[in-house]
Amino acid sequence: MGRAEFIALMAMMFATIAFSIDAMLPALPDIADELTPDDPTRAPLIMTAFVLGMGIGTFFMGPLSDAFGRRSIMICGAGLYITASAIAWASSIFEVVLAARVVQGIGAAGPRVVSIAVIRDLYSGREMAKIVSIVMMIFTLVPGFAPTLGYLIISTGGWRGIFAAFMVFSAISVLWLGLRLPETLAREDRRPLRPRLMITAVGEMFAHPIVRLSIVVQTLCMSILFTVLMMIQPVYEQIYDKQDTFHFWFGGIALVSALASFLNAMLVMRLGMRRLITMALAIQIVLSVTVLLHNETLGASAFFVFAIWQAYVFFQAGLTIGNLNAIAMEPMGHIAGMAASVIGAVSTVLAAMIASPIGLLFDGTIRPLIGAVFVMALMAFVVMRYMGRVEARLPAE
């Protein structure tokens, strides 16, 4: 496999996550009408159920691939994803679809998490960083077209067509992997699962104050993102009457917000990770308060102000989540693999648990959404300020 084909395959593995989340957004009204007509506010749980499963899977997939090889775990994860998609496609019970989405998220974590390990098996240093950057650049484009693709699928095959598309997408990617990508982890390099060592590593992580605080802030930042994803479609449909153009607005805003990664790369060396995160959260607090206080007096321009606020939420995610992950990983270099899995799993699962009940508070106005984001951004800002004082007291390493 040449480098271009390898990058394309890894990007497709990454894209499974974004496609599974963003392509579902246009389907939420139809799912609410058919599966939960008495309480349509439950439909966005379809989003957080997947994220919850993804967080659970993130914890296990990395260590499993170290023990049993990369290919087998990626193929098993894809098989689990396809099976869960088929169950959701066939079911007429909302709770069954939710359970299937959790399992689907667990399965999707396999290709997503193990892809990083595969890249590390084959490349190192700057070459690895270059490959990951290209893969992530392609990955950031997926939210731009996934809602439009979902809208087109729904218009021809209904909301169940989305789950059929998930099955086809995953089947193509795993067939490509099975035919073209050899195993990248030799048997002599595999490490057996040792629960005691895993528990020790987790204990060491949570004993470090900077790691603890970074996970707290990362959880809050991801909760902001998941809350917006849960509530954004009802806001467009019921408040601004933009249901027919929702996929265009969402895709355009997602593409513009992808520029945050480039801005972060330019600013992080100059400002530092902690300062950049704190500044991004402060801007979020000011914007949220402004929209919350003045939205009802804006008249016809209210939607465009909201769209700007939404774009900044995605932009803020690009300026914070990666940097927070790097801060948490910095003291854990000796257990980097386990640390990456634990940080990703804990922050994702907790964020899904926080966002799920908030998403049910939608009352036909933007107040619950903007208010929740303001509170979480304020809490994250306070923790970041506290982290600076804690960092100052730590002995120099």
Side-chain angles (χ1 to χ4, degrees):
M1 180 181 289
R3 177 179 295 190
E5 183 184 357
F6 176 74
I7 291 172
L9 176 58
M10 293 299 101
M12 193 168 184
M13 295 295 172
F14 271 64
T16 303
I17 299 293
F19 185 48
S20 301
I21 294 174
D22 297 321
M24 284 300 303
L25 289 169
L28 296 182
D30 293 343
I31 291 175
D33 291 342
E34 183 173 336
L35 300 185
T36 177
D38 296 334
D39 189 3
T41 60
R42 294 201 303 162
L45 292 174
I46 292 286
M47 311 297 292
T48 49
F50 177 85
V51 172
L52 178 63
M54 184 181 66
I56 295 170
T58 297
F59 185 82
F60 296 103
M61 293 301 180
L64 284 173
S65 73
D66 287 341
F68 300 106
R70 313 301 191 206
R71 274 169 49 98
S72 59
I73 299 304
M74 295 175 83
I75 291 171
C76 288
L80 194 62
Y81 177 90
I82 293 170
T83 302
S85 299
I87 293 172
W89 172 81
S91 179
S92 297
I93 302 172
F94 183 70
E95 289 74 16
V96 173
V97 176
L98 283 183
R101 283 286 281 177
V102 173
V103 177
Q104 192 184 37
I106 294 172
R112 166 63 180 83
V113 172
V114 182
S115 292
I116 293 292
V118 169
I119 296 172
R120 179 61 186 87
D121 291 339
L122 299 177
Y123 299 93
S124 61
R126 294 183 179 180
E127 197 66 22
M128 178 188 174
K130 182 179 179 181
I131 296 293
V132 172
S133 296
I134 297 172
V135 169
M136 291 302 294
M137 191 181 304
I138 298 172
F139 169 74
T140 57
L141 298 176
V142 175
F145 67 81
T148 300
L149 181 57
Y151 178 82
L152 294 174
I153 293 170
I154 294 165
S155 65
T156 57
W159 67 265
R160 296 181 190 276
I162 295 290
F163 287 102
F166 291 158
M167 289 186 273
V168 172
F169 183 90
S170 185
I172 291 173
S173 63
V174 77
L175 182 63
W176 185 4
L177 180 145
L179 292 175
R180 298 289 294 155
L181 184 70
E183 175 58 56
T184 60
L185 184 65
R187 289 189 177 275
E188 59 270 20
D189 294 329
R190 296 179 187 179
R191 292 173 292 181
L193 288 174
R194 296 175 180 172
R196 182 177 297 178
L197 292 180
M198 294 171 67
I199 294 171
T200 300
V202 171
E204 181 180 351
M205 287 179 58
F206 284 95
H208 196 290
I210 298 299
V211 177
R212 283 200 312 269
L213 295 172
S214 297
I215 291 175
V216 170
V217 180
Q218 186 169 334
T219 298
L220 290 167
C221 290
M222 293 181 74
S223 298
I224 290 172
L225 183 61
F226 296 159
T227 299
V228 172
L229 287 174
M230 278 192 71
M231 301 178 76
I232 197 66
Q233 195 281 329
V235 167
Y236 271 69
E237 179 182 2
Q238 299 181 34
I239 299 177
Y240 298 114
D241 195 26
K242 301 285 185 182
Q243 62 270 26
D244 293 334
T245 56
F246 164 70
H247 52 288
F248 291 124
W249 282 103
F250 186 93
I253 289 171
L255 288 176
V256 171
S257 302
L259 295 173
S261 299
F262 298 100
L263 182 63
N264 184 70
M266 291 191 304
L267 295 179
V268 71
M269 296 300 294
R270 183 183 305 174
L271 299 177
M273 291 181 290
R274 185 168 56 79
R275 187 178 178 190
L276 189 57
I277 294 165
T278 306
M279 290 172 59
L281 291 168
I283 295 171
Q284 180 64 264
I285 292 168
V286 173
L287 279 177
S288 296
V289 170
T290 303
V291 175
L292 200 60
L293 294 178
H294 299 290
N295 186 73
E296 294 182 0
T297 65
L298 293 173
S301 61
F303 170 71
F304 297 102
V305 172
F306 177 81
I308 293 171
W309 176 85
Q310 176 196 341
Y312 185 75
V313 169
F314 294 163
F315 205 83
Q316 175 225 301
L319 293 176
T320 56
I321 295 175
N323 289 329
L324 286 162
N325 195 63
I327 290 174
M329 289 288 293
E330 183 65 27
M332 298 290 117
H334 56 295
I335 51 170
M338 176 58 63
S341 289
V342 172
I343 292 166
V346 171
S347 58
T348 303
V349 170
L350 291 179
M353 294 174 66
I354 292 170
S356 293
I358 295 175
L360 300 177
L361 298 177
F362 180 71
D363 62 356
T365 73
I366 64 169
R367 286 192 295 270
L369 173 58
I370 307 290
V373 170
F374 165 73
V375 171
M376 289 186 286
L378 181 61
M379 292 171 63
F381 178 82
V382 171
V383 176
M384 286 303 302
R385 298 286 294 176
Y386 176 68
M387 184 191 295
R389 293 195 291 271
V390 171
E391 197 172 51
R393 293 198 298 265
L394 290 176
E397 294 184 0

